[in-house]
Coordinates of all heavy atoms in Angstrom, one line a residue:
M78 N 7.1 3.3 11.9 CA 6.3 3.0 10.7 C 6.2 4.3 9.9 O 5.8 5.4 10.4 CB 4.9 2.5 11.1 CG 4.2 2.1 9.9 SD 2.5 1.4 10.1 CE 2.7 0.4 11.6
N79 N 6.6 4.3 8.6 CA 6.6 5.5 7.8 C 5.4 5.5 6.9 O 4.5 4.6 7.0 CB 7.9 5.6 7.0 CG 8.1 4.5 6.0 OD1 7.1 3.9 5.4 ND2 9.3 4.1 5.7
H80 N 5.3 6.5 6.1 CA 4.2 6.7 5.2 C 3.9 5.5 4.3 O 2.8 5.1 4.1 CB 4.4 8.0 4.3 CG 3.5 8.1 3.1 ND1 2.2 8.4 3.3 CD2 3.7 7.9 1.8 CE1 1.6 8.4 2.1 NE2 2.5 8.1 1.2
F81 N 5.0 4.9 3.7 CA 4.8 3.8 2.8 C 4.3 2.6 3.6 O 3.5 1.8 3.0 CB 6.1 3.4 2.1 CG 6.6 4.5 1.1 CD1 7.8 5.1 1.3 CD2 5.8 4.8 0.1 CE1 8.2 6.1 0.4 CE2 6.2 5.8 -0.8 CZ 7.4 6.4 -0.7
H82 N 4.7 2.3 4.8 CA 4.2 1.2 5.6 C 2.7 1.4 5.9 O 1.9 0.5 5.7 CB 5.0 1.1 6.9 CG 6.4 0.7 6.8 ND1 7.4 1.6 7.1 CD2 7.0 -0.4 6.4 CE1 8.6 1.0 6.9 NE2 8.3 -0.2 6.4
R83 N 2.3 2.6 6.3 CA 0.9 2.9 6.6 C 0.1 2.7 5.3 O -1.0 2.2 5.3 CB 0.8 4.3 7.2 CG 1.3 4.4 8.6 CD 1.0 5.7 9.2 NE 1.5 6.8 8.5 CZ 2.8 7.3 8.7 NH1 3.6 6.8 9.6 NH2 3.2 8.4 8.0
T84 N 0.6 3.3 4.2 CA -0.2 3.2 2.9 C -0.3 1.8 2.5 O -1.4 1.3 2.0 CB 0.5 4.1 1.8 OG1 0.6 5.4 2.3 CG2 -0.3 4.0 0.6
A85 N 0.7 1.0 2.6 CA 0.6 -0.5 2.2 C -0.4 -1.2 3.1 O -1.2 -2.0 2.5 CB 2.0 -1.1 2.4
L86 N -0.4 -0.9 4.4 CA -1.4 -1.5 5.2 C -2.8 -1.1 4.8 O -3.7 -1.9 4.7 CB -1.2 -1.1 6.7 CG 0.0 -1.8 7.4 CD1 0.2 -1.2 8.8 CD2 -0.2 -3.3 7.5
K87 N -3.0 0.2 4.5 CA -4.3 0.7 4.0 C -4.8 0.0 2.7 O -5.9 -0.4 2.6 CB -4.3 2.2 3.8 CG -4.2 3.0 5.1 CD -4.2 4.5 4.8 CE -3.8 5.3 5.9 NZ -3.7 6.7 5.6
V88 N -3.8 -0.2 1.8 CA -4.2 -0.8 0.5 C -4.6 -2.3 0.7 O -5.7 -2.7 0.2 CB -3.0 -0.8 -0.5 CG1 -3.2 -1.6 -1.7 CG2 -2.7 0.7 -0.9
V89 N -3.9 -3.0 1.5 CA -4.2 -4.4 1.8 C -5.5 -4.5 2.5 O -6.4 -5.3 2.2 CB -3.1 -5.1 2.5 CG1 -3.5 -6.6 2.8 CG2 -1.8 -5.1 1.6
F90 N -5.7 -3.6 3.5 CA -7.0 -3.5 4.3 C -8.2 -3.2 3.3 O -9.2 -3.9 3.4 CB -6.9 -2.5 5.4 CG -8.1 -2.3 6.2 CD1 -8.5 -3.3 7.1 CD2 -8.9 -1.2 6.0 CE1 -9.6 -3.1 7.9 CE2 -10.1 -1.1 6.8 CZ -10.4 -2.0 7.7
R91 N -8.0 -2.2 2.5 CA -9.1 -1.9 1.5 C -9.5 -3.0 0.6 O -10.6 -3.3 0.4 CB -8.7 -0.6 0.7 CG -9.9 -0.1 -0.1 CD -9.5 1.2 -0.9 NE -8.5 0.9 -1.9 CZ -7.3 1.5 -1.9 NH1 -7.0 2.4 -1.1 NH2 -6.5 1.2 -2.9
C92 N -8.5 -3.7 0.1 CA -8.7 -4.9 -0.7 C -9.5 -6.0 0.0 O -10.4 -6.5 -0.5 CB -7.4 -5.5 -1.3 SG -6.7 -4.4 -2.6
A93 N -9.0 -6.2 1.3 CA -9.7 -7.3 2.1 C -11.1 -6.9 2.4 O -12.0 -7.7 2.3 CB -8.9 -7.5 3.4
S94 N -11.4 -5.6 2.7 CA -12.7 -5.2 3.0 C -13.6 -5.2 1.7 O -14.9 -5.3 1.9 CB -12.7 -3.8 3.6 OG -12.3 -2.8 2.7
Q95 N -13.0 -5.2 0.6 CA -13.8 -5.2 -0.7 C -13.8 -6.6 -1.3 O -14.2 -6.9 -2.4 CB -13.3 -4.2 -1.7 CG -13.5 -2.8 -1.3 CD -12.8 -1.8 -2.2 OE1 -12.1 -2.2 -3.2 NE2 -13.0 -0.5 -2.0
D96 N -13.3 -7.6 -0.5 CA -13.2 -9.0 -0.9 C -12.4 -9.1 -2.2 O -12.7 -9.9 -3.1 CB -14.6 -9.6 -1.0 CG -14.5 -11.1 -0.9 OD1 -13.6 -11.6 -0.3 OD2 -15.4 -11.8 -1.5
L97 N -11.3 -8.4 -2.3 CA -10.4 -8.4 -3.5 C -9.1 -9.0 -3.0 O -8.7 -8.9 -1.9 CB -10.1 -7.0 -4.1 CG -11.3 -6.3 -4.6 CD1 -10.9 -4.9 -5.0 CD2 -11.9 -7.0 -5.8
H98 N -8.4 -9.7 -3.9 CA -7.1 -10.3 -3.6 C -6.0 -9.3 -3.9 O -5.8 -8.8 -5.1 CB -6.9 -11.5 -4.5 CG -5.5 -12.1 -4.3 ND1 -5.2 -12.8 -3.2 CD2 -4.4 -12.1 -5.1 CE1 -3.9 -13.2 -3.3 NE2 -3.5 -12.8 -4.5
A99 N -5.3 -8.8 -2.9 CA -4.2 -7.9 -3.1 C -3.0 -8.7 -3.6 O -2.8 -9.8 -3.2 CB -3.9 -7.2 -1.7
D100 N -2.2 -8.0 -4.4 CA -1.0 -8.6 -4.9 C 0.1 -7.5 -4.9 O -0.2 -6.4 -4.7 CB -1.1 -9.3 -6.2 CG -1.5 -8.4 -7.4 OD1 -1.2 -7.2 -7.3 OD2 -2.1 -8.9 -8.3
L101 N 1.3 -8.0 -5.1 CA 2.5 -7.1 -5.0 C 2.4 -6.0 -6.0 O 2.6 -4.8 -5.6 CB 3.8 -7.9 -5.2 CG 5.1 -7.1 -5.2 CD1 5.3 -6.5 -3.8 CD2 6.2 -8.0 -5.6
S102 N 2.0 -6.2 -7.2 CA 1.9 -5.2 -8.2 C 0.9 -4.1 -7.9 O 1.1 -3.0 -8.1 CB 1.7 -5.8 -9.6 OG 0.5 -6.4 -9.7
M103 N -0.2 -4.6 -7.3 CA -1.3 -3.7 -7.0 C -0.8 -2.7 -5.9 O -1.0 -1.5 -5.9 CB -2.5 -4.4 -6.5 CG -3.7 -3.6 -6.0 SD -5.0 -4.5 -5.3 CE -5.5 -5.6 -6.6
V104 N -0.2 -3.3 -4.9 CA 0.3 -2.4 -3.8 C 1.4 -1.5 -4.3 O 1.4 -0.3 -3.9 CB 0.8 -3.3 -2.6 CG1 1.4 -2.5 -1.5 CG2 -0.3 -4.2 -2.1
A105 N 2.3 -2.0 -5.1 CA 3.4 -1.2 -5.7 C 2.8 0.0 -6.5 O 3.3 1.1 -6.3 CB 4.3 -2.0 -6.6
E106 N 1.8 -0.3 -7.3 CA 1.1 0.8 -8.0 C 0.5 1.9 -7.1 O 0.7 3.1 -7.4 CB 0.1 0.3 -9.0 CG -0.5 1.3 -9.9 CD -1.4 0.8 -10.9 OE1 -1.3 -0.4 -11.3 OE2 -2.3 1.5 -11.3
E107 N -0.1 1.4 -6.1 CA -0.7 2.4 -5.1 C 0.3 3.2 -4.4 O 0.1 4.4 -4.1 CB -1.6 1.6 -4.1 CG -2.9 1.1 -4.7 CD -4.0 2.1 -4.8 OE1 -4.0 3.1 -4.1 OE2 -4.8 1.9 -5.7
L108 N 1.5 2.6 -4.1 CA 2.5 3.3 -3.5 C 3.4 4.2 -4.4 O 4.1 5.1 -4.0 CB 3.5 2.3 -2.8 CG 2.9 1.5 -1.6 CD1 3.9 0.5 -1.1 CD2 2.4 2.4 -0.5
G109 N 3.3 3.9 -5.7 CA 4.1 4.6 -6.7 C 5.6 4.1 -6.6 O 6.5 4.9 -6.9
L110 N 5.8 2.9 -6.2 CA 7.1 2.3 -6.1 C 7.3 1.1 -7.0 O 6.3 0.5 -7.5 CB 7.4 1.9 -4.6 CG 7.3 3.0 -3.6 CD1 7.4 2.5 -2.2 CD2 8.4 4.1 -3.8
S111 N 8.5 0.7 -7.1 CA 8.8 -0.6 -7.8 C 8.3 -1.8 -7.0 O 8.2 -1.7 -5.8 CB 10.3 -0.7 -8.1 OG 11.0 -0.9 -6.9
C112 N 8.2 -2.9 -7.7 CA 7.8 -4.1 -7.0 C 8.9 -4.5 -6.0 O 8.6 -5.1 -4.9 CB 7.5 -5.2 -8.0 SG 5.9 -5.0 -8.8
V113 N 10.1 -4.3 -6.4 CA 11.2 -4.7 -5.5 C 11.2 -3.9 -4.2 O 11.3 -4.4 -3.1 CB 12.6 -4.5 -6.2 CG1 13.8 -4.7 -5.2 CG2 12.7 -5.4 -7.4
R114 N 11.0 -2.6 -4.3 CA 10.9 -1.7 -3.1 C 9.7 -2.1 -2.3 O 9.7 -2.1 -1.1 CB 10.9 -0.3 -3.5 CG 10.8 0.7 -2.4 CD 12.1 0.8 -1.6 NE 11.9 1.7 -0.5 CZ 12.0 1.4 0.8 NH1 12.3 0.2 1.2 NH2 11.8 2.4 1.7
T115 N 8.6 -2.3 -3.0 CA 7.3 -2.7 -2.3 C 7.5 -4.0 -1.5 O 7.0 -4.1 -0.4 CB 6.1 -2.7 -3.3 OG1 6.0 -1.4 -3.9 CG2 4.8 -3.0 -2.6
D116 N 8.1 -4.9 -2.2 CA 8.4 -6.2 -1.5 C 9.2 -6.0 -0.3 O 8.9 -6.7 0.8 CB 9.1 -7.2 -2.5 CG 9.2 -8.6 -1.9 OD1 8.2 -9.1 -1.5 OD2 10.3 -9.1 -1.9
H117 N 10.1 -5.1 -0.3 CA 11.0 -4.9 0.9 C 10.1 -4.3 2.0 O 10.2 -4.6 3.2 CB 12.1 -3.9 0.5 CG 13.0 -3.5 1.7 ND1 13.8 -4.4 2.2 CD2 13.2 -2.4 2.3 CE1 14.5 -3.9 3.2 NE2 14.1 -2.6 3.3
I118 N 9.2 -3.4 1.6 CA 8.3 -2.8 2.6 C 7.4 -3.9 3.2 O 7.1 -3.9 4.4 CB 7.4 -1.7 2.0 CG1 8.4 -0.5 1.7 CG2 6.2 -1.2 2.8 CD1 7.8 0.6 0.8
L119 N 6.8 -4.7 2.4 CA 6.0 -5.8 2.9 C 6.8 -6.8 3.8 O 6.2 -7.2 4.8 CB 5.3 -6.6 1.7 CG 4.3 -5.8 0.9 CD1 3.8 -6.6 -0.3 CD2 3.1 -5.4 1.8
E120 N 8.0 -7.0 3.5 CA 8.9 -7.8 4.3 C 9.1 -7.2 5.7 O 9.1 -7.9 6.7 CB 10.2 -8.2 3.7 CG 10.1 -9.1 2.5 CD 9.7 -10.5 2.9 OE1 9.9 -10.9 4.1 OE2 9.1 -11.2 2.1
Q121 N 9.3 -5.8 5.7 CA 9.4 -5.1 7.0 C 8.1 -5.2 7.8 O 8.2 -5.5 9.0 CB 9.8 -3.7 6.7 CG 11.2 -3.5 6.2 CD 11.4 -2.0 5.7 OE1 10.5 -1.3 5.4 NE2 12.7 -1.6 5.7
L122 N 7.0 -5.1 7.1 CA 5.7 -5.3 7.8 C 5.5 -6.7 8.3 O 5.0 -6.9 9.4 CB 4.6 -4.8 6.9 CG 4.5 -3.3 6.6 CD1 3.5 -3.1 5.5 CD2 4.1 -2.6 7.9
A123 N 6.0 -7.7 7.6 CA 6.0 -9.1 8.0 C 6.8 -9.3 9.3 O 6.4 -10.0 10.2 CB 6.4 -10.0 6.9
Q124 N 8.0 -8.7 9.3 CA 8.9 -8.8 10.5 C 8.2 -8.2 11.7 O 8.5 -8.6 12.8 CB 10.2 -8.2 10.2 CG 11.1 -8.9 9.2 CD 12.4 -8.2 8.9 OE1 12.6 -7.1 9.3 NE2 13.2 -8.9 8.1
A125 N 7.4 -7.2 11.5 CA 6.7 -6.5 12.6 C 5.4 -7.3 12.9 O 4.7 -6.9 13.9 CB 6.3 -5.1 12.2
G126 N 5.1 -8.4 12.2 CA 4.0 -9.2 12.5 C 2.7 -8.7 12.0 O 1.6 -9.1 12.4
L127 N 2.7 -7.7 11.0 CA 1.5 -7.1 10.5 C 0.9 -7.6 9.2 O -0.2 -7.5 9.0 CB 1.7 -5.6 10.4 CG 2.2 -4.9 11.7 CD1 2.5 -3.4 11.4 CD2 1.1 -5.0 12.7
V128 N 1.8 -8.3 8.4 CA 1.3 -8.9 7.2 C 2.0 -10.2 6.9 O 3.0 -10.5 7.5 CB 1.6 -8.0 5.9 CG1 0.9 -6.7 6.0 CG2 3.0 -7.8 5.7
D129 N 1.3 -11.0 6.1 CA 2.0 -12.2 5.5 C 2.4 -11.7 4.2 O 1.7 -11.6 3.3 CB 0.9 -13.3 5.4 CG 1.5 -14.6 4.7 OD1 2.5 -14.5 4.1 OD2 0.8 -15.6 4.9
A130 N 3.7 -11.5 4.0 CA 4.3 -10.9 2.8 C 4.1 -11.8 1.6 O 3.9 -11.3 0.5 CB 5.7 -10.5 3.0
D131 N 4.2 -13.1 1.8 CA 4.1 -14.0 0.7 C 2.7 -14.0 0.1 O 2.6 -14.1 -1.1 CB 4.5 -15.4 1.1 CG 6.0 -15.5 1.5 OD1 6.8 -14.8 1.0 OD2 6.3 -16.4 2.4
R132 N 1.7 -13.9 0.9 CA 0.3 -13.9 0.5 C -0.3 -12.6 0.3 O -1.4 -12.4 -0.2 CB -0.5 -14.8 1.4 CG 0.0 -16.2 1.5 CD -0.8 -17.1 2.5 NE -2.2 -17.1 2.1 CZ -3.2 -17.0 3.0 NH1 -2.9 -16.9 4.3 NH2 -4.5 -17.0 2.6
V133 N 0.4 -11.5 0.7 CA 0.0 -10.1 0.7 C -1.4 -10.1 1.5 O -2.4 -9.7 0.9 CB -0.1 -9.5 -0.7 CG1 -0.3 -8.0 -0.6 CG2 1.2 -9.8 -1.5
R134 N -1.3 -10.5 2.7 CA -2.5 -10.5 3.6 C -2.2 -9.9 4.9 O -1.0 -10.1 5.4 CB -3.0 -12.0 3.8 CG -3.4 -12.7 2.6 CD -4.8 -12.3 2.2 NE -5.4 -13.1 1.1 CZ -5.2 -12.9 -0.2 NH1 -4.5 -11.9 -0.6 NH2 -5.7 -13.7 -1.1
L135 N -3.1 -9.3 5.6 CA -2.9 -8.8 6.9 C -3.0 -9.9 7.9 O -3.8 -10.8 7.8 CB -4.0 -7.8 7.3 CG -4.1 -6.5 6.4 CD1 -5.3 -5.7 6.8 CD2 -2.8 -5.6 6.7
T136 N -2.2 -9.8 8.9 CA -2.3 -10.7 10.1 C -3.4 -10.1 11.0 O -3.9 -9.0 10.7 CB -1.0 -10.8 10.9 OG1 -0.7 -9.5 11.4 CG2 0.1 -11.3 10.0
L137 N -3.8 -10.7 12.0 CA -4.8 -10.2 13.0 C -4.3 -8.8 13.6 O -5.0 -7.9 13.6 CB -5.1 -11.2 14.1 CG -6.3 -10.8 15.0 CD1 -7.5 -10.6 14.2 CD2 -6.5 -11.9 16.0
A138 N -3.0 -8.8 13.9 CA -2.4 -7.6 14.4 C -2.4 -6.5 13.4 O -2.7 -5.3 13.6 CB -1.0 -7.8 14.9
G139 N -2.1 -6.9 12.1 CA -2.1 -5.9 11.0 C -3.5 -5.4 10.7 O -3.7 -4.2 10.4
L140 N -4.5 -6.2 10.9 CA -5.9 -5.8 10.7 C -6.2 -4.7 11.8 O -6.8 -3.7 11.4 CB -6.8 -7.0 10.8 CG -8.3 -6.7 10.8 CD1 -8.7 -6.1 9.4 CD2 -9.1 -8.0 11.0
A141 N -5.8 -5.0 13.0 CA -6.1 -4.0 14.1 C -5.4 -2.7 13.8 O -6.0 -1.6 13.9 CB -5.6 -4.6 15.4
V142 N -4.2 -2.7 13.3 CA -3.4 -1.5 13.1 C -4.0 -0.8 11.8 O -4.3 0.4 11.9 CB -1.9 -1.8 12.8 CG1 -1.2 -0.5 12.3 CG2 -1.3 -2.3 14.1
A143 N -4.3 -1.5 10.8 CA -4.8 -0.9 9.6 C -6.2 -0.3 9.8 O -6.5 0.8 9.3 CB -4.9 -2.0 8.4
A144 N -7.0 -1.0 10.6 CA -8.4 -0.4 10.9 C -8.3 0.8 11.7 O -9.2 1.7 11.7 CB -9.2 -1.5 11.6
S145 N -7.2 1.0 12.5 CA -7.1 2.2 13.3 C -6.5 3.4 12.6 O -6.5 4.5 13.1 CB -6.3 1.9 14.5 OG -4.9 1.7 14.2
L146 N -5.9 3.2 11.4 CA -5.3 4.3 10.6 C -6.3 5.2 10.1 O -7.4 4.8 9.7 CB -4.4 3.7 9.5 CG -3.2 2.9 9.9 CD1 -2.6 2.2 8.7 CD2 -2.2 3.8 10.6
P147 N -6.0 6.5 10.0 CA -7.0 7.4 9.4 C -7.2 7.1 7.9 O -6.3 6.6 7.2 CB -6.2 8.8 9.5 CG -4.9 8.6 10.1 CD -4.8 7.1 10.4
T148 N -8.4 7.3 7.5 CA -8.8 6.9 6.1 C -8.9 8.1 5.2 O -9.5 8.0 4.1 CB -10.1 6.2 6.1 OG1 -11.1 7.0 6.7 CG2 -10.1 4.9 6.9
A149 N -8.4 9.3 5.6 CA -8.5 10.4 4.7 C -7.8 10.2 3.4 O -6.8 9.6 3.3 CB -7.8 11.6 5.4
K150 N -8.6 10.5 2.3 CA -8.1 10.3 1.0 C -7.0 11.3 0.7 O -7.1 12.5 1.0 CB -9.2 10.5 -0.1 CG -10.3 9.5 0.1 CD -9.8 8.2 -0.5 CE -11.0 7.2 -0.4 NZ -10.6 5.9 -0.8
S151 N -5.9 10.9 0.1 CA -4.9 11.8 -0.3 C -5.3 12.6 -1.6 O -6.1 12.1 -2.3 CB -3.5 11.1 -0.5 OG -3.7 10.2 -1.6
A152 N -4.7 13.7 -1.8 CA -5.0 14.5 -3.0 C -4.0 14.2 -4.1 O -3.5 15.1 -4.8 CB -4.9 16.0 -2.6
V153 N -3.8 12.9 -4.3 CA -2.9 12.5 -5.4 C -3.7 12.0 -6.6 O -4.7 11.3 -6.4 CB -1.9 11.3 -4.8 CG1 -1.1 10.8 -5.9 CG2 -1.1 11.8 -3.7
A154 N -3.2 12.4 -7.7 CA -3.9 12.0 -9.0 C -3.8 10.5 -9.1 O -2.8 9.9 -8.8 CB -3.3 12.7 -10.2
P155 N -4.8 9.9 -9.8 CA -4.8 8.5 -10.0 C -3.7 8.2 -11.0 O -3.2 9.1 -11.7 CB -6.1 8.1 -10.7 CG -6.8 9.4 -11.0 CD -6.1 10.5 -10.2
P156 N -3.2 6.9 -11.1 CA -2.1 6.6 -12.0 C -2.2 7.0 -13.4 O -1.3 7.4 -14.1 CB -2.0 5.0 -12.0 CG -2.7 4.7 -10.7 CD -3.7 5.8 -10.4
S157 N -3.5 7.1 -14.0 CA -3.6 7.6 -15.3 C -3.3 9.0 -15.5 O -3.1 9.5 -16.6 CB -5.1 7.3 -15.8 OG -6.0 8.1 -15.0
Q158 N -3.2 9.8 -14.4 CA -2.9 11.2 -14.5 C -1.5 11.5 -14.0 O -1.2 12.7 -13.7 CB -3.9 12.0 -13.7 CG -5.3 11.9 -14.3 CD -6.3 12.7 -13.4 OE1 -6.0 13.3 -12.4 NE2 -7.6 12.6 -13.8
R159 N -0.7 10.5 -13.9 CA 0.7 10.7 -13.5 C 1.5 11.5 -14.6 O 1.2 11.3 -15.8 CB 1.4 9.4 -13.2 CG 0.8 8.8 -11.9 CD 1.6 7.6 -11.6 NE 0.9 6.9 -10.5 CZ 1.4 6.0 -9.7 NH1 2.6 5.6 -9.9 NH2 0.7 5.4 -8.8
D160 N 2.4 12.2 -14.1 CA 3.4 12.9 -15.0 C 4.2 11.8 -15.7 O 4.5 10.8 -15.2 CB 4.3 13.7 -14.1 CG 5.2 14.5 -14.9 OD1 6.3 14.0 -15.3 OD2 5.0 15.7 -15.0
P161 N 4.5 12.0 -17.0 CA 5.2 11.0 -17.8 C 6.6 10.6 -17.2 O 7.1 9.6 -17.4 CB 5.4 11.7 -19.2 CG 4.7 12.9 -19.2 CD 4.2 13.2 -17.8
R162 N 7.1 11.5 -16.3 CA 8.4 11.2 -15.7 C 8.2 10.3 -14.5 O 9.1 9.9 -13.8 CB 9.1 12.5 -15.2 CG 9.4 13.4 -16.4 CD 9.8 14.7 -15.9 NE 8.6 15.3 -15.3 CZ 8.5 16.5 -14.7 NH1 9.6 17.2 -14.5 NH2 7.4 17.0 -14.3
G163 N 7.0 9.9 -14.2 CA 6.7 9.0 -13.1 C 6.4 9.7 -11.8 O 6.4 9.1 -10.7
I164 N 6.3 11.0 -11.8 CA 6.1 11.8 -10.6 C 4.6 12.1 -10.5 O 3.9 12.4 -11.4 CB 6.8 13.2 -10.7 CG1 8.3 12.9 -10.9 CG2 6.5 14.0 -9.5 CD1 9.1 14.1 -11.2
L165 N 4.1 11.9 -9.3 CA 2.7 12.1 -9.1 C 2.4 13.6 -9.0 O 3.1 14.4 -8.4 CB 2.2 11.5 -7.7 CG 2.3 10.0 -7.7 CD1 1.9 9.5 -6.3 CD2 1.3 9.4 -8.7
R166 N 1.3 14.0 -9.6 CA 0.9 15.4 -9.6 C -0.3 15.5 -8.6 O -1.1 14.7 -8.5 CB 0.3 15.9 -11.0 CG 1.4 15.9 -12.0 CD 0.8 16.4 -13.3 NE -0.1 15.4 -13.8 CZ -1.1 15.6 -14.7 NH1 -1.3 16.8 -15.2 NH2 -1.9 14.6 -15.1
L167 N -0.3 16.6 -7.8 CA -1.3 16.8 -6.9 C -2.5 17.4 -7.6 O -2.4 18.2 -8.5 CB -0.9 17.8 -5.8 CG 0.2 17.3 -4.8 CD1 0.6 18.3 -3.8 CD2 -0.3 16.0 -4.1
I168 N -3.7 17.0 -7.2 CA -4.9 17.5 -7.8 C -5.2 18.9 -7.1 O -5.3 19.0 -5.9 CB -6.1 16.6 -7.6 CG1 -5.8 15.3 -8.2 CG2 -7.4 17.2 -8.0 CD1 -6.8 14.2 -7.9
A169 N -5.4 19.9 -7.9 CA -5.7 21.2 -7.4 C -7.1 21.4 -7.0 O -8.0 20.8 -7.5 CB -5.3 22.3 -8.4

């Protein structure tokens, strides 16, 4: 499982814990990837039995994995502070 897989699980978990409906575009924005690439990541997580990719929901196994992941906030600027070239800037 790579960084994008872990981050996708965290995003879906955070939405579920806040009683929000996660969707593909929301996860893609959080990952800083296209919807096509994000859909591929969700499909990989679905093959691992961690998400329902069609509904963008965690499975019970996915919930257990997501809950066990570290919750440290990354030092990445929010989307409104992204570089115009689409590159994320680190907050100093």
Side-chain angles (χ1 to χ4, degrees):
M78 185 178 320
N79 66 29
H80 166 73
F81 292 119
H82 293 113
R83 288 187 301 273
T84 303
L86 286 173
K87 288 179 193 179
V88 170
V89 178
F90 178 74
R91 187 177 66 238
C92 287
S94 66
Q95 295 173 354
D96 202 26
L97 299 173
H98 175 73
D100 62 25
L101 180 63
S102 63
M103 177 188 299
V104 177
E106 184 174 333
E107 288 282 334
L108 294 176
L110 299 174
S111 70
C112 285
V113 172
R114 179 70 179 122
T115 302
D116 187 51
H117 181 68
I118 289 168
L119 291 174
E120 288 295 332
Q121 290 173 334
L122 290 169
Q124 288 177 355
L127 301 175
V128 299
D129 176 342
D131 295 331
R132 297 179 59 221
V133 191
R134 298 281 189 271
L135 295 172
T136 62
L137 189 55
L140 177 62
V142 171
S145 71
L146 292 172
T148 59
K150 297 285 184 185
S151 64
V153 175
S157 62
Q158 296 178 1
R159 288 184 189 197
D160 184 280
R162 296 168 291 176
I164 300 169
L165 294 175
R166 294 181 292 162
L167 294 178
I168 299 172

